[in-house]
Each structure stands twice: as C-alpha cells, then as structure tokens.
Amino acid sequence: MEPSPAPGELGAMLQAARDFASYPGLHSDDTVRQFLERCPLPKLLGALQSEADVPGMVETVTECLDKVFSSRYGASLLPSYGAFIQTGLLTDSKDIRKLACKAVLYLLDKAEDGAAAVETVVQHNLYPVLINCLIEGDEEISSIILDAVKRLAEIPKGAEIIFPPDGQGSVQLGKVASQSSSLARIRILSLIAKLFTVSSYTATAIRDSNLLSIFEDEIKDRRDMLKTLSTLEVLYELVEHPHSNVFLLKTNLLQLIIDVINDSSAESVIRSRAALISGRLLSSADAFTAIDHSCVTNLLAAIDKILKTEENQNTDEIESALETLGLIGTTTQGAHFLLTSSNVARHVVEASFDRQGRGRQLAALHAFGSICGVDRQEDQMKLDGQAEEHLKRLVYTTAANSSKLTPSALLLSILQQDPDIRIAGYRVISGLVVREWCLREVCMNSEIIKFVTDPTMETTKLGMEARYNCCVAINKSLSSSHLVHEKSLSELIGKLSDAVRRGPYLSERKRVEARPVVVPAERF
C-alpha cells in the first residue's frame, strides 16, 4: 500500500492535482515531471487508497493521474506500479477502475519496450482481470478494455498471452462467452472482431480456437432481436477487414446469413444488415474460390426475392439489397456471376432509371457503376462475351420499356436530375463507355457531352471530380476506338480534349488579372 499524505498536506496536494487536471490539453513530459516533484506519485496513489473522507478527492486525483499517465514520461513509471493497477481493476470504485483500465492502455501504447510492458501484465496477472472488467464493467470501461487488449495483441509476446501457443491459457474466451450473459457475449464478440484485425496470427488463432462459432450460435438463436442485431453489427465490422472472407467463408456463417435474409419473420433492419454482410463477404475475388457457387446462387435468390416483392415498401431493405449487389459486382467474378447465373442484375439496371424513389435510384446507380467496373482495374472492367452480352441486353431492354426508348436518352435523363443522382450517373457512364456500343450512344448525344465537358456544371469538389473523370473516361475510350476516325465526331473529340486539358476545376471564363489604377492628385 502506498503512503498516504499527511492531513496537513492533503489539501495543498488536492489543489495542485485539481489545477493539473483542469489543464485543457496534454501536458508535456517536463510539466509532468515537475508536477510529480511537488506531488510525488506514491502519495497521489496513497490518497486514493486512504480512508480519508474528503468530498471530490477520488474524482480529482483520478483525473489528475489520467493526465499524468497519458504522457510518455508518466506511462514509463507504470511498470513499477503494476500492483496498484491490479488493485484498481478489482476495486468497487468506478473512477479508480476506469483509471486502472486506462493505465493498462497507456502502459502498452506508450511503452518504449513492448516486452517490458507485457511482462508487467504477466507479472501481475492483469489479462484475466481485464476480461472480467470487460464483462462486468459499464460501456465506458468496456470500450477502454477493448482498446487495451487489442494493443496487447499487437505486441508479439502479448498476443501469446491471449492465444497461448500450447492452447492452454488462463482465460479461454469461448468458455467465458458460454458462461456469460447476452450483453457480455456481445462484448466478447466485439473483442474477437478487434483481435481478428490485428494480424494473420490472431485471425488464425481465432479460427483455430473455434471462436467464430460464437457468431454462428448467436445468429442461429433469433429469439432476441436486439441480441441478433448487435451480433450482426459486430460481424459487419469484422467482415470489413480485407482477409476476413478467407476465414469466414470456410464456416457456416454465409449460409446462416442467407437464412436470416430469407426469414420473413425477422425484422427488416436485421435482414438489411445480413444482406450487407453477405455483400462484403463476396466483394473480394478470393471469395469465389473459397465457396461453393450454389451458396452464392442461394444468396442471389434471397436478394431477388426482396427486390421483386411488390408489397415490399421498406426503403432501407431495398436499398441494402441493391447495395449488396453492387458489393458483389465489384469484382470481375462477382459481376460475371450477377449477369450470367441469375436474373437479379435487372433490378439494378431498372431501378437506376426509375424515379419512383430517390434513395432506391441512388443505391441502384452506385451498384450499377460497380457492376460496370468503375471500382476495378482498367484491364478488368470488361467481362467475358456472355456477361457483356447480358449487360448490353439489360440496358437496351430497360430503355425500350421506358419512355426514353434509347440508352443515350436514359443516361441523359440521369444527368438532368439533382447533383447526387448526377454524380452517380457520371460514375455509371465512366464504367459503361469502355463498351463501344455505349460509347457510340454517348457520343451521338450532344447533350451528354455538353454536361460532361461543362466545368461550371458542378459546384462541389466531389461533383467536379466525378464530371471530369467521366469526361476523361469518354475521351480515353474514344481515342482507342475506331470511332475516333469518324469525321462527324471531330468537333466532339476536340471539345473533349480541351475539357480534359482544363482539368476538373477550371472554367472557360477568362481570368481577369488585377490592374493598377492611376488616380489624379487633384481628386484628393
């Protein structure tokens, strides 16, 4: 136990601590060092452990110590106070427990010697106590611990504390989750998601420890909507990580996600989130080599069911379904699958030109752009003959069934709408014009060219850049096409070239230079 300050010096120390804690920014190492010379760290810690009943003392000292430990110099002192951290994690005082949690984070985050910091964690057996606080603490404390344990995993020796090489650890996360409440299991899942993104070592350890099955168990049991939604939210964050599909697609998770999408009794928000998770899982080229294609077919059938149900008036669910198709269509393999193995892509094309719902149209346009290849490398934008034929047929059929009749008139109608729709339209055109049939449609419509070459058309940076990128895409496709030799397009080619040279931001208005003004002296 640290020495408590004498009664006579307690008041002065508290005032100094209050002044130190009230400083709005971070203290420098020199400032922290000078403060600790006046108020030694052992006495500050002793004040927290004393039984003196001084109003506001705990709050003042913990705020002060938070400032101290957040500095590099203060954090360097923490290895000598591992026993205090352990005691603090076990105390009933929320303020002291929060300080102890932050102290662990500072110890690991600011340590010059990561191995020494990990040794402090081992020596004082802090990891099991942290997990206990994660489960039993409030949201603020749990959030701090998630960051602290993630930082521990980022240090090689620290990762071995969480996932011992021999598989025998003092804390097995799966066992803890099985014995915990619903809220605690969600926190364990959040921890797993954070650890998964640290390294391939931790991701592999999570798979080998069968921790991903906790997600499966939680999704299977859909009696509690909030619990299911919380699980899906955590999984949604996990699947954002680049290598997640390599591990997750080898589990039953995608099939369970499809079951959720097909579950008519589930809340719409749950089906929407499940759809987006499936889209993220299949947004990598590796996904189609790691999974049975029949599973993808089942998923597309579930998405198709959402989009073709006429009584479905849930905008969010429809937009999520369209966004999912866009995520799948990001890769060549995904786009090919959408266009050749299912009729689901027609929903994207039709909704792109349907003005019945703005949000739906916007989601469809972004998905259409992805399928067309704007998110892929230039040499991967076009698909094989079969997929390209399906794409062309979809666009011409949609045009023929509309009042516009031609693809060029459809594309122009998009550019004539509000800025957000127009920006999404630029994106679609940028992807479509690598196909000569669409390039011809665009070049034969002077109004489309007027839009994409007019530097005054857009007023936002995003809009200017989208318009310019579209202009560049048309110009580039035209220059490599036999259409470049058609005399009727010579004026258009010159207009496009000039627009590309101007860049995205410069207008055609001539710049007016400042001129000196001569004023006769008699005017004064």
Side-chain angles (χ1 to χ4, degrees), residues 122-197:
V122 173
Q123 183 181 352
H124 296 279
N125 202 28
L126 298 181
Y127 175 63
V129 189
L130 284 171
I131 297 302
N132 188 61
C133 288
L134 172 69
I135 293 171
E136 297 183 356
D138 61 15
E139 288 298 321
E140 186 178 14
I141 285 177
S142 295
S143 178
I144 296 168
I145 292 173
L146 287 175
D147 291 335
V149 177
K150 180 184 178 185
R151 184 68 190 97
L152 178 65
E154 289 171 347
I155 304 171
K157 290 293 183 182
E160 293 180 3
I161 295 175
I162 305 168
F163 303 108
D166 60 3
Q168 300 298 316
S170 57
V171 174
Q172 295 290 347
L173 292 176
K175 184 178 180 181
V176 173
S178 67
Q179 299 172 347
S180 300
S181 66
S182 295
L183 175 60
R185 284 199 299 275
I186 295 300
R187 290 178 178 177
I188 293 294
L189 290 178
S190 296
L191 177 59
I192 291 170
K194 277 189 175 289
L195 294 176
F196 192 91
T197 64

Side-chain angles (χ1 to χ4, degrees), residues 43-81:
K43 290 194 174 183
L44 287 167
L45 296 176
L48 291 179
Q49 297 171 330
S50 72
E51 298 180 359
D53 187 14
V54 179
M57 181 181 71
V58 172
E59 293 85 348
T60 298
V61 176
T62 52
E63 287 178 19
C64 169
L65 290 175
D66 185 12
K67 292 272 189 178
V68 169
F69 295 145
S70 66
S71 69
R72 193 165 292 279
Y73 173 72
S76 71
L77 303 175
L78 285 170
S80 300
Y81 293 92

Side-chain angles (χ1 to χ4, degrees), residues 2 20 26-29 32-33 35-36 40-42 44-45 48 61-82 84-85 96 98-111:
E2 302 298 337
F20 187 83
L26 295 175
H27 288 286
S28 67
D29 286 348
V32 173
R33 190 180 289 106
F35 170 75
L36 292 179
L41 186 53
L44 287 167
L45 296 176
L48 291 179
V61 176
T62 52
E63 287 178 19
C64 169
L65 290 175
D66 185 12
K67 292 272 189 178
V68 169
F69 295 145
S70 66
S71 69
R72 193 165 292 279
Y73 173 72
S76 71
L77 303 175
L78 285 170
S80 300
Y81 293 92
F84 165 77
I85 296 174
I96 297 177
K98 184 171 74 172
L99 173 65
C101 292
K102 285 189 172 183
V104 177
L105 179 58
Y106 296 144
L107 168 70
L108 297 166
D109 198 42
K110 298 181 181 294

Side-chain angles (χ1 to χ4, degrees), residues 311-346:
E311 61 268 20
N312 189 350
Q313 299 298 317
N314 191 294
T315 303
D316 290 339
E317 190 172 355
I318 292 173
E319 290 176 13
S320 294
L322 291 168
E323 185 179 344
T324 298
L325 296 179
L327 289 167
I328 296 172
T330 300
T331 65
T332 302
Q333 296 89 335
H336 180 273
F337 211 95
L338 288 175
L339 291 165
T340 61
S341 302
S342 168
N343 199 29
V344 72
R346 70 181 175 84

Side-chain angles (χ1 to χ4, degrees), residues 344-356:
V344 72
R346 70 181 175 84
H347 295 296
V348 175
V349 180
E350 290 172 359
S352 293
F353 305 103
D354 185 352
R355 301 178 69 164
Q356 295 301 311

